[in-house]
Amino acid sequence: VQLQASGGGLVQIGGSLRLSCAASSSNLDAYPTAWFRQAPGKEREGVACISSTGHEKYAESVKGRFTISRGNAKNTVYLQMNDLKSDDTAVYYCATDIDSLVCMELGGFYQGMDYWGKGTQVTVSS
Protein backbone atom coordinates (compact mmCIF):
# COMPACT_ATOMS: atom_id res chain seq x y z
CA VAL A 1 0.00 0.00 0.00
CA GLN A 2 1.43 3.34 -0.99
CA LEU A 3 0.03 6.45 0.67
CA GLN A 4 0.39 10.01 -0.51
CA ALA A 5 -0.40 12.90 1.79
CA SER A 6 -1.05 16.31 0.28
CA GLY A 7 -2.72 19.61 0.96
CA GLY A 8 -0.29 21.21 3.34
CA GLY A 9 0.80 24.80 3.07
CA LEU A 10 1.18 28.13 4.77
CA VAL A 11 -1.89 29.52 6.49
CA GLN A 12 -2.58 32.27 8.98
CA ILE A 13 -3.74 31.68 12.52
CA GLY A 14 -7.45 30.94 12.48
CA GLY A 15 -7.36 29.70 8.92
CA SER A 16 -8.25 26.31 7.47
CA LEU A 17 -6.63 23.59 5.41
CA ARG A 18 -7.77 20.21 4.16
CA LEU A 19 -5.23 17.44 3.95
CA SER A 20 -5.75 14.42 1.71
CA CYS A 21 -4.36 10.92 2.02
CA ALA A 22 -4.66 8.82 -1.09
CA ALA A 23 -3.82 5.14 -1.40
CA SER A 24 -2.48 3.97 -4.70
CA SER A 25 -3.47 0.34 -4.56
CA SER A 26 -5.97 -0.27 -1.83
CA ASN A 27 -9.30 0.76 -0.43
CA LEU A 28 -8.63 2.69 2.74
CA ASP A 29 -12.20 2.23 3.94
CA ALA A 30 -11.38 -1.37 4.84
CA TYR A 31 -8.77 -0.34 7.42
CA PRO A 32 -8.23 2.18 10.20
CA THR A 33 -6.39 5.20 8.86
CA ALA A 34 -4.80 7.90 10.94
CA TRP A 35 -3.15 11.27 10.72
CA PHE A 36 -0.05 12.03 12.74
CA ARG A 37 2.13 15.10 13.02
CA GLN A 38 5.64 15.90 14.06
CA ALA A 39 6.79 19.36 14.99
CA PRO A 40 10.47 20.31 15.05
CA GLY A 41 12.17 18.89 18.12
CA LYS A 42 9.10 16.94 19.18
CA GLU A 43 7.99 13.35 18.92
CA ARG A 44 5.45 12.24 16.37
CA GLU A 45 1.94 12.29 17.81
CA GLY A 46 -1.42 10.98 16.74
CA VAL A 47 -3.88 13.60 15.57
CA ALA A 48 -6.94 11.70 14.40
CA CYS A 49 -7.95 8.22 13.37
CA ILE A 50 -10.95 6.71 11.59
CA SER A 51 -11.77 3.03 11.91
CA SER A 52 -13.08 0.71 9.22
CA THR A 53 -16.59 1.36 10.55
CA GLY A 54 -16.17 5.13 10.60
CA HIS A 55 -15.57 5.62 14.31
CA GLU A 56 -13.41 8.69 14.84
CA LYS A 57 -10.79 9.43 17.48
CA TYR A 58 -9.05 12.74 18.06
CA ALA A 59 -6.23 14.11 20.13
CA GLU A 60 -7.52 16.47 22.81
CA SER A 61 -5.59 19.35 21.29
CA VAL A 62 -7.56 19.19 18.03
CA LYS A 63 -11.03 18.15 19.17
CA GLY A 64 -13.67 20.49 17.82
CA ARG A 65 -11.28 21.93 15.23
CA PHE A 66 -10.19 18.97 13.10
CA THR A 67 -12.38 16.42 11.34
CA ILE A 68 -11.22 13.18 9.79
CA SER A 69 -13.38 11.69 7.07
CA ARG A 70 -13.42 9.31 4.14
CA GLY A 71 -13.91 10.49 0.61
CA ASN A 72 -16.44 9.10 -1.80
CA ALA A 73 -13.55 7.39 -3.51
CA LYS A 74 -12.69 4.50 -1.23
CA ASN A 75 -8.99 5.18 -1.39
CA THR A 76 -8.98 8.64 0.20
CA VAL A 77 -9.07 9.97 3.76
CA TYR A 78 -9.22 13.67 4.58
CA LEU A 79 -8.27 15.81 7.53
CA GLN A 80 -10.18 19.07 7.64
CA MET A 81 -8.35 21.50 9.90
CA ASN A 82 -10.14 24.63 11.06
CA ASP A 83 -9.19 27.42 13.46
CA LEU A 84 -5.55 26.60 13.05
CA LYS A 85 -3.12 27.63 15.75
CA SER A 86 0.63 28.14 15.70
CA ASP A 87 1.00 24.90 17.68
CA ASP A 88 -0.48 23.03 14.73
CA THR A 89 2.65 23.75 12.70
CA ALA A 90 4.20 20.39 11.86
CA VAL A 91 4.77 17.83 9.18
CA TYR A 92 1.60 15.78 8.86
CA TYR A 93 1.65 12.10 7.93
CA CYS A 94 -1.07 9.61 7.15
CA ALA A 95 -0.83 5.92 7.90
CA THR A 96 -2.98 2.83 7.75
CA ASP A 97 -3.15 -0.51 9.54
CA ILE A 98 -4.13 -3.37 7.25
CA ASP A 99 -4.12 -5.87 10.11
CA SER A 100 -6.89 -4.28 12.12
CA LEU A 101 -10.36 -2.81 11.92
CA VAL A 102 -10.17 -0.32 14.78
CA CYS A 103 -7.97 2.53 15.92
CA MET A 104 -5.83 1.49 18.87
CA GLU A 105 -4.66 4.55 20.74
CA LEU A 106 -1.97 4.32 23.39
CA GLY A 107 -0.15 7.25 24.87
CA GLY A 108 -1.30 9.62 22.17
CA PHE A 109 -0.15 7.37 19.35
CA TYR A 110 -2.26 5.14 17.13
CA GLN A 111 -0.68 1.72 17.29
CA GLY A 112 0.03 -0.83 14.62
CA MET A 113 0.22 1.38 11.54
CA ASP A 114 1.85 -0.63 8.79
CA TYR A 115 2.09 1.82 5.94
CA TRP A 116 3.04 5.46 6.01
CA GLY A 117 2.94 8.22 3.50
CA LYS A 118 5.50 10.94 3.14
CA GLY A 119 4.59 13.99 5.12
CA THR A 120 3.09 17.27 4.08
CA GLN A 121 4.18 20.47 5.79
CA VAL A 122 1.63 22.65 7.54
CA THR A 123 2.83 26.03 8.71
CA VAL A 124 0.56 28.32 10.69
CA SER A 125 1.80 31.86 10.96
CA SER A 126 0.66 35.10 12.46
Side-chain angles (χ1 to χ4, degrees):
V1 178
Q2 290 185 325
L3 302 178
Q4 178 66 52
S6 61
L10 176 64
V11 63
Q12 290 188 326
I13 290 174
S16 299
L17 281 174
R18 188 177 79 160
L19 305 184
S20 299
C21 177
S24 61
S25 60
S26 182
N27 290 333
L28 288 180
D29 64 346
Y31 315 117
T33 301
W35 286 96
F36 298 80
R37 67 186 180 186
Q38 188 165 18
K42 295 187 177 181
E43 293 187 353
R44 192 171 297 186
E45 62 175 357
V47 175
C49 186
I50 186 165
S51 74
S52 62
T53 58
H55 183 68
E56 301 163 26
K57 288 180 177 285
Y58 296 95
E60 284 297 323
S61 60
V62 306
K63 277 183 180 178
R65 301 188 298 122
F66 289 14
T67 302
I68 189 169
S69 64
R70 299 190 184 280
N72 291 332
K74 294 184 177 182
N75 67 335
T76 306
V77 171
Y78 299 105
L79 184 69
Q80 177 67 42
M81 306 187 296
N82 298 327
D83 189 23
L84 283 161
K85 306 177 186 299
S86 57
D87 287 348
D88 297 319
T89 295
V91 178
Y92 284 71
Y93 301 87
C94 62
T96 193
D97 178 2
I98 66 170
D99 298 315
S100 179
L101 299 176
V102 299
C103 299
M104 296 180 288
E105 186 271 335
L106 180 64
F109 199 90
Y110 301 110
Q111 305 294 312
M113 296 295 161
D114 306 296
Y115 296 93
W116 293 77
K118 293 182 179 179
T120 184
Q121 176 71 46
V122 172
T123 302
V124 184
S125 72
S126 56

